[in-house]
Structures are given as C-alpha cells and as structure tokens.
Amino acid sequence: MKTLTVRRLIVSFFIVFLVIVLSIFLFIASVIYVLNNGNPYTNFLFNKHLPPYLEEKGYSDEDISHQHIVAGMDRKDYYYDNYRVIFKDEPNVSYYYGIKKKGKSIAQFCEKEMKVNNIYTTIITEKTKHSEEDCISKD
C-alpha cells in the first residue's frame, strides 16, 4: 500500500514537471514567433482592412511600389504595428497607416519618413502628394 502511494506521488511530480517544462518551451516558441512574424491578430486586421481602404482612396496595386506591416510608433488609441506604403510616383516618401483599437477604423499618420542617402530616416509632417487632410498626429 505504501509503495503504491509513493509511486503515485512520483508520477504526479513527473507529470507536473513535464507540464511546467512544456509550458516554458511553448512560451519561448510563441515569443520567438511573434518577434519574427509580428502579432498574428494585427497582421490579420491590416491584411483585411488596408487594401480595401487604399482602393477607396483611389489607389490600385499599380500605384504602390511597396506595402507591408512594420513595427510602429506607440499611439494610445491605435495598434502598435503600422502599415507602410511607398507610392511609385513618390518613392522618396514612406507613408504610415494605423488601425484604431476601437472600431477598427483606418487612419493615415501625419508623420512620414523621407528618404535621405537611400535610407528612410528623416521624419516629416509637411503635406505631400498623398497626404490625407484628416491624418492623425503623434501629439
């Protein structure tokens, strides 16, 4: 009887140990996935809402040189990731769009990056060719 209790105790500790090790492994794998691929939920939202939004604004795939999801600036009411768009007729300016947390509406951010020495580094807020009147400022 006593050996059966000891055996159950050992098996129980072994199962708890395996669950803890597996949980740590899954957590680390999840963190690595998100760091490499971005948040799957915001990726889904951007891929679902941004292309139709740009079409509503009159842009087609032929007008856009590059578009992809990037890590963004921290804005309280918007998801952290941004959608970066570079237009073919204005290749020196990088525009950023965000999705509002409540209502999932799309907005263009007033801050854009200007290409200097082949690198998009200079942040500008001036009106450019594809600037929207109701853009959202960081302030």
Side-chain angles (χ1 to χ4, degrees), residues 3 5-6 8 11-12 47 51 53 55 58 68 75 78-79 83 90 97 101 103 110 112 117-118 121-122 128 132 134:
T3 59
T5 307
V6 170
R8 282 186 181 165
V11 169
S12 296
N47 291 327
Y53 175 82
E55 285 178 19
H68 56 277
R75 297 172 196 264
Y78 290 85
Y79 287 105
Y83 198 79
E90 200 176 20
Y97 296 83
K101 290 177 184 175
C110 296
K112 301 168 273 300
N117 295 329
N118 276 344
T121 55
T122 306
T128 53
E132 296 178 9
D134 56 347

mmCIF file of all heavy atoms in Angstrom, residues 3 5-6 8 11-12 47 51 53 55 58 68 75 78-79 83 90 97 101 103 110 112 117-118 121-122 128 132 134:
data_model
loop_
_atom_site.group_PDB
_atom_site.id
_atom_site.type_symbol
_atom_site.label_atom_id
_atom_site.label_comp_id
_atom_site.label_asym_id
_atom_site.label_seq_id
_atom_site.Cartn_x
_atom_site.Cartn_y
_atom_site.Cartn_z
ATOM 1 N N THR A 3 3.978 1.557 -1.079
ATOM 2 C CA THR A 3 4.706 1.720 -2.338
ATOM 3 C C THR A 3 3.798 2.274 -3.435
ATOM 4 O O THR A 3 4.252 3.001 -4.308
ATOM 5 C CB THR A 3 5.298 0.381 -2.805
ATOM 6 O OG1 THR A 3 4.259 -0.564 -2.982
ATOM 7 C CG2 THR A 3 6.345 -0.112 -1.852
ATOM 8 N N THR A 5 1.361 4.479 -2.962
ATOM 9 C CA THR A 5 1.254 5.914 -2.688
ATOM 10 C C THR A 5 2.514 6.639 -3.147
ATOM 11 O O THR A 5 2.436 7.719 -3.734
ATOM 12 C CB THR A 5 1.021 6.148 -1.178
ATOM 13 O OG1 THR A 5 -0.094 5.375 -0.756
ATOM 14 C CG2 THR A 5 0.766 7.599 -0.903
ATOM 15 N N VAL A 6 3.666 6.058 -2.869
ATOM 16 C CA VAL A 6 4.935 6.662 -3.294
ATOM 17 C C VAL A 6 5.001 6.703 -4.817
ATOM 18 O O VAL A 6 5.417 7.694 -5.406
ATOM 19 C CB VAL A 6 6.123 5.879 -2.693
ATOM 20 C CG1 VAL A 6 7.431 6.341 -3.305
ATOM 21 C CG2 VAL A 6 6.154 6.011 -1.190
ATOM 22 N N ARG A 8 2.468 6.812 -6.951
ATOM 23 C CA ARG A 8 1.542 7.856 -7.415
ATOM 24 C C ARG A 8 2.139 9.243 -7.223
ATOM 25 O O ARG A 8 1.987 10.113 -8.070
ATOM 26 C CB ARG A 8 0.213 7.759 -6.656
ATOM 27 C CG ARG A 8 -0.670 6.685 -7.138
ATOM 28 C CD ARG A 8 -2.003 6.758 -6.445
ATOM 29 N NE ARG A 8 -2.855 5.683 -6.924
ATOM 30 C CZ ARG A 8 -3.951 5.302 -6.326
ATOM 31 N NH1 ARG A 8 -4.341 5.893 -5.209
ATOM 32 N NH2 ARG A 8 -4.665 4.333 -6.818
ATOM 33 N N VAL A 11 4.802 9.783 -9.922
ATOM 34 C CA VAL A 11 4.159 10.006 -11.221
ATOM 35 C C VAL A 11 3.533 11.397 -11.262
ATOM 36 O O VAL A 11 3.647 12.113 -12.263
ATOM 37 C CB VAL A 11 3.111 8.903 -11.509
ATOM 38 C CG1 VAL A 11 2.253 9.279 -12.705
ATOM 39 C CG2 VAL A 11 3.787 7.566 -11.726
ATOM 40 N N SER A 12 2.895 11.815 -10.188
ATOM 41 C CA SER A 12 2.278 13.142 -10.133
ATOM 42 C C SER A 12 3.339 14.237 -10.274
ATOM 43 O O SER A 12 3.152 15.197 -11.033
ATOM 44 C CB SER A 12 1.520 13.338 -8.819
ATOM 45 O OG SER A 12 0.456 12.437 -8.728
ATOM 46 N N ASN A 47 -4.164 43.136 -43.149
ATOM 47 C CA ASN A 47 -4.388 42.497 -44.446
ATOM 48 C C ASN A 47 -5.859 42.516 -44.851
ATOM 49 O O ASN A 47 -6.178 42.513 -46.041
ATOM 50 C CB ASN A 47 -3.850 41.069 -44.444
ATOM 51 C CG ASN A 47 -2.339 41.038 -44.390
ATOM 52 O OD1 ASN A 47 -1.670 41.913 -44.931
ATOM 53 N ND2 ASN A 47 -1.796 40.040 -43.725
ATOM 54 N N PRO A 51 -5.972 47.050 -47.705
ATOM 55 C CA PRO A 51 -6.139 47.084 -49.165
ATOM 56 C C PRO A 51 -7.479 47.691 -49.608
ATOM 57 O O PRO A 51 -7.491 48.537 -50.506
ATOM 58 C CB PRO A 51 -5.998 45.618 -49.583
ATOM 59 C CG PRO A 51 -5.088 45.043 -48.529
ATOM 60 C CD PRO A 51 -5.513 45.727 -47.248
ATOM 61 N N TYR A 53 -9.229 49.901 -47.992
ATOM 62 C CA TYR A 53 -9.143 51.319 -47.651
ATOM 63 C C TYR A 53 -8.374 52.087 -48.730
ATOM 64 O O TYR A 53 -8.797 53.156 -49.172
ATOM 65 C CB TYR A 53 -8.461 51.492 -46.291
ATOM 66 C CG TYR A 53 -8.223 52.925 -45.896
ATOM 67 C CD1 TYR A 53 -9.238 53.675 -45.325
ATOM 68 C CD2 TYR A 53 -6.996 53.526 -46.112
ATOM 69 C CE1 TYR A 53 -9.026 54.999 -44.963
ATOM 70 C CE2 TYR A 53 -6.773 54.850 -45.755
ATOM 71 C CZ TYR A 53 -7.795 55.582 -45.181
ATOM 72 O OH TYR A 53 -7.584 56.894 -44.836
ATOM 73 N N GLU A 55 -7.986 51.178 -51.819
ATOM 74 C CA GLU A 55 -8.813 51.184 -53.031
ATOM 75 C C GLU A 55 -9.884 52.265 -52.951
ATOM 76 O O GLU A 55 -10.165 52.935 -53.946
ATOM 77 C CB GLU A 55 -9.453 49.814 -53.237
ATOM 78 C CG GLU A 55 -8.494 48.760 -53.741
ATOM 79 C CD GLU A 55 -9.145 47.388 -53.887
ATOM 80 O OE1 GLU A 55 -10.391 47.302 -53.948
ATOM 81 O OE2 GLU A 55 -8.389 46.401 -53.938
ATOM 82 N N GLY A 58 -8.730 55.490 -53.990
ATOM 83 C CA GLY A 58 -8.422 55.600 -55.404
ATOM 84 C C GLY A 58 -7.092 55.016 -55.824
ATOM 85 O O GLY A 58 -6.651 55.233 -56.952
ATOM 86 N N HIS A 68 3.776 47.003 -46.676
ATOM 87 C CA HIS A 68 3.953 45.907 -45.733
ATOM 88 C C HIS A 68 3.756 46.407 -44.300
ATOM 89 O O HIS A 68 3.722 47.601 -44.045
ATOM 90 C CB HIS A 68 5.314 45.232 -45.895
ATOM 91 C CG HIS A 68 6.465 46.173 -45.766
ATOM 92 N ND1 HIS A 68 6.914 46.941 -46.804
ATOM 93 C CD2 HIS A 68 7.257 46.482 -44.720
ATOM 94 C CE1 HIS A 68 7.931 47.677 -46.407
ATOM 95 N NE2 HIS A 68 8.160 47.416 -45.138
ATOM 96 N N ARG A 75 1.105 54.613 -30.190
ATOM 97 C CA ARG A 75 -0.012 55.556 -30.142
ATOM 98 C C ARG A 75 -1.106 54.916 -29.314
ATOM 99 O O ARG A 75 -1.500 53.783 -29.567
ATOM 100 C CB ARG A 75 -0.506 55.875 -31.548
ATOM 101 C CG ARG A 75 0.555 56.560 -32.388
ATOM 102 C CD ARG A 75 0.086 56.671 -33.824
ATOM 103 N NE ARG A 75 1.171 56.966 -34.714
ATOM 104 C CZ ARG A 75 1.489 58.180 -35.120
ATOM 105 N NH1 ARG A 75 0.798 59.218 -34.721
ATOM 106 N NH2 ARG A 75 2.498 58.364 -35.941
ATOM 107 N N TYR A 78 -4.263 53.344 -31.054
ATOM 108 C CA TYR A 78 -4.020 52.537 -32.242
ATOM 109 C C TYR A 78 -3.155 51.321 -31.899
ATOM 110 O O TYR A 78 -2.375 51.352 -30.966
ATOM 111 C CB TYR A 78 -3.312 53.373 -33.322
ATOM 112 C CG TYR A 78 -4.227 54.427 -33.903
ATOM 113 C CD1 TYR A 78 -4.381 55.652 -33.285
ATOM 114 C CD2 TYR A 78 -4.957 54.173 -35.053
ATOM 115 C CE1 TYR A 78 -5.242 56.604 -33.789
ATOM 116 C CE2 TYR A 78 -5.812 55.124 -35.573
ATOM 117 C CZ TYR A 78 -5.950 56.335 -34.937
ATOM 118 O OH TYR A 78 -6.813 57.272 -35.437
ATOM 119 N N TYR A 79 -3.321 50.264 -32.708
ATOM 120 C CA TYR A 79 -2.466 49.096 -32.537
ATOM 121 C C TYR A 79 -1.021 49.498 -32.794
ATOM 122 O O TYR A 79 -0.738 50.407 -33.572
ATOM 123 C CB TYR A 79 -2.875 47.980 -33.495
ATOM 124 C CG TYR A 79 -4.167 47.315 -33.086
ATOM 125 C CD1 TYR A 79 -5.349 47.575 -33.767
ATOM 126 C CD2 TYR A 79 -4.217 46.449 -32.007
ATOM 127 C CE1 TYR A 79 -6.537 46.981 -33.395
ATOM 128 C CE2 TYR A 79 -5.394 45.847 -31.620
ATOM 129 C CZ TYR A 79 -6.554 46.123 -32.317
ATOM 130 O OH TYR A 79 -7.716 45.532 -31.926
ATOM 131 N N TYR A 83 1.186 50.099 -41.062
ATOM 132 C CA TYR A 83 1.220 49.617 -42.436
ATOM 133 C C TYR A 83 1.961 50.664 -43.249
ATOM 134 O O TYR A 83 1.550 51.811 -43.322
ATOM 135 C CB TYR A 83 -0.204 49.447 -42.949
ATOM 136 C CG TYR A 83 -0.334 48.579 -44.171
ATOM 137 C CD1 TYR A 83 -0.304 47.200 -44.070
ATOM 138 C CD2 TYR A 83 -0.522 49.135 -45.426
ATOM 139 C CE1 TYR A 83 -0.453 46.393 -45.176
ATOM 140 C CE2 TYR A 83 -0.676 48.334 -46.549
ATOM 141 C CZ TYR A 83 -0.645 46.968 -46.418
ATOM 142 O OH TYR A 83 -0.792 46.176 -47.528
ATOM 143 N N GLU A 90 6.012 58.746 -55.871
ATOM 144 C CA GLU A 90 6.671 59.485 -54.793
ATOM 145 C C GLU A 90 7.540 58.499 -53.990
ATOM 146 O O GLU A 90 7.289 58.236 -52.820
ATOM 147 C CB GLU A 90 5.610 60.137 -53.905
ATOM 148 C CG GLU A 90 6.122 61.270 -53.075
ATOM 149 C CD GLU A 90 5.002 61.947 -52.294
ATOM 150 O OE1 GLU A 90 3.932 61.361 -52.091
ATOM 151 O OE2 GLU A 90 5.243 63.076 -51.880
ATOM 152 N N TYR A 97 0.085 53.979 -41.999
ATOM 153 C CA TYR A 97 -1.327 53.872 -41.671
ATOM 154 C C TYR A 97 -1.464 53.019 -40.416
ATOM 155 O O TYR A 97 -0.643 52.143 -40.158
ATOM 156 C CB TYR A 97 -2.103 53.217 -42.815
ATOM 157 C CG TYR A 97 -2.083 54.030 -44.090
ATOM 158 C CD1 TYR A 97 -1.015 53.957 -44.976
ATOM 159 C CD2 TYR A 97 -3.139 54.877 -44.391
ATOM 160 C CE1 TYR A 97 -0.999 54.706 -46.139
ATOM 161 C CE2 TYR A 97 -3.130 55.630 -45.554
ATOM 162 C CZ TYR A 97 -2.059 55.543 -46.424
ATOM 163 O OH TYR A 97 -2.042 56.297 -47.569
ATOM 164 N N LYS A 101 -7.953 50.911 -32.230
ATOM 165 C CA LYS A 101 -8.345 49.751 -31.423
ATOM 166 C C LYS A 101 -9.857 49.632 -31.309
ATOM 167 O O LYS A 101 -10.408 48.543 -31.409
ATOM 168 C CB LYS A 101 -7.723 49.843 -30.028
ATOM 169 C CG LYS A 101 -6.222 49.635 -30.042
ATOM 170 C CD LYS A 101 -5.628 49.797 -28.660
ATOM 171 C CE LYS A 101 -4.115 49.675 -28.705
ATOM 172 N NZ LYS A 101 -3.519 49.942 -27.395
ATOM 173 N N GLY A 103 -13.332 50.218 -32.935
ATOM 174 C CA GLY A 103 -13.976 50.495 -34.208
ATOM 175 C C GLY A 103 -13.195 50.021 -35.419
ATOM 176 O O GLY A 103 -13.726 49.963 -36.513
ATOM 177 N N CYS A 110 0.252 61.500 -39.769
ATOM 178 C CA CYS A 110 0.845 62.706 -40.364
ATOM 179 C C CYS A 110 2.358 62.565 -40.507
ATOM 180 O O CYS A 110 2.950 63.167 -41.410
ATOM 181 C CB CYS A 110 0.512 63.937 -39.523
ATOM 182 S SG CYS A 110 -1.254 64.307 -39.468
ATOM 183 N N LYS A 112 5.620 61.114 -41.691
ATOM 184 C CA LYS A 112 6.080 60.300 -42.807
ATOM 185 C C LYS A 112 7.604 60.277 -42.773
ATOM 186 O O LYS A 112 8.214 61.133 -42.157
ATOM 187 C CB LYS A 112 5.599 60.902 -44.129
ATOM 188 C CG LYS A 112 4.091 61.013 -44.234
ATOM 189 C CD LYS A 112 3.657 61.857 -45.405
ATOM 190 C CE LYS A 112 3.571 63.318 -45.123
ATOM 191 N NZ LYS A 112 2.666 63.784 -44.105
ATOM 192 N N ASN A 117 19.886 59.776 -48.516
ATOM 193 C CA ASN A 117 21.019 58.872 -48.749
ATOM 194 C C ASN A 117 20.577 57.407 -48.812
ATOM 195 O O ASN A 117 21.167 56.529 -48.188
ATOM 196 C CB ASN A 117 22.098 59.045 -47.673
ATOM 197 C CG ASN A 117 22.728 60.410 -47.718
ATOM 198 O OD1 ASN A 117 22.838 61.011 -48.777
ATOM 199 N ND2 ASN A 117 23.121 60.907 -46.559
ATOM 200 N N ASN A 118 19.472 57.167 -49.534
ATOM 201 C CA ASN A 118 18.913 55.818 -49.737
ATOM 202 C C ASN A 118 18.388 55.150 -48.469
ATOM 203 O O ASN A 118 18.237 53.935 -48.429
ATOM 204 C CB ASN A 118 19.921 54.888 -50.430
ATOM 205 C CG ASN A 118 19.886 55.053 -51.931
ATOM 206 O OD1 ASN A 118 18.948 55.615 -52.480
ATOM 207 N ND2 ASN A 118 20.916 54.560 -52.580
ATOM 208 N N THR A 121 14.894 57.921 -43.133
ATOM 209 C CA THR A 121 15.227 58.268 -41.752
ATOM 210 C C THR A 121 14.616 59.583 -41.297
ATOM 211 O O THR A 121 14.287 59.735 -40.135
ATOM 212 C CB THR A 121 16.750 58.371 -41.561
ATOM 213 O OG1 THR A 121 17.262 59.298 -42.511
ATOM 214 C CG2 THR A 121 17.418 57.035 -41.734
ATOM 215 N N THR A 122 14.467 60.546 -42.165
ATOM 216 C CA THR A 122 14.023 61.878 -41.773
ATOM 217 C C THR A 122 12.508 61.901 -41.659
ATOM 218 O O THR A 122 11.795 61.656 -42.629
ATOM 219 C CB THR A 122 14.488 62.922 -42.808
ATOM 220 O OG1 THR A 122 15.900 62.791 -42.980
ATOM 221 C CG2 THR A 122 14.150 64.320 -42.355
ATOM 222 N N THR A 128 2.346 66.307 -48.336
ATOM 223 C CA THR A 128 2.982 65.753 -49.520
ATOM 224 C C THR A 128 1.891 65.279 -50.480
ATOM 225 O O THR A 128 0.698 65.431 -50.193
ATOM 226 C CB THR A 128 3.926 64.592 -49.148
ATOM 227 O OG1 THR A 128 3.195 63.645 -48.371
ATOM 228 C CG2 THR A 128 5.120 65.074 -48.346
ATOM 229 N N GLU A 132 -3.240 62.817 -46.447
ATOM 230 C CA GLU A 132 -4.676 62.967 -46.252
ATOM 231 C C GLU A 132 -4.940 64.145 -45.325
ATOM 232 O O GLU A 132 -4.171 64.404 -44.406
ATOM 233 C CB GLU A 132 -5.255 61.673 -45.668
ATOM 234 C CG GLU A 132 -5.128 60.487 -46.608
ATOM 235 C CD GLU A 132 -5.663 59.194 -46.023
ATOM 236 O OE1 GLU A 132 -6.285 59.237 -44.948
ATOM 237 O OE2 GLU A 132 -5.435 58.150 -46.653
ATOM 238 N N ASP A 134 -7.206 64.537 -43.062
ATOM 239 C CA ASP A 134 -7.554 64.155 -41.689
ATOM 240 C C ASP A 134 -6.552 63.165 -41.090
ATOM 241 O O ASP A 134 -6.930 62.248 -40.370
ATOM 242 C CB ASP A 134 -8.966 63.595 -41.637
ATOM 243 C CG ASP A 134 -9.159 62.417 -42.594
ATOM 244 O OD1 ASP A 134 -8.294 62.201 -43.464
ATOM 245 O OD2 ASP A 134 -10.185 61.729 -42.475
#
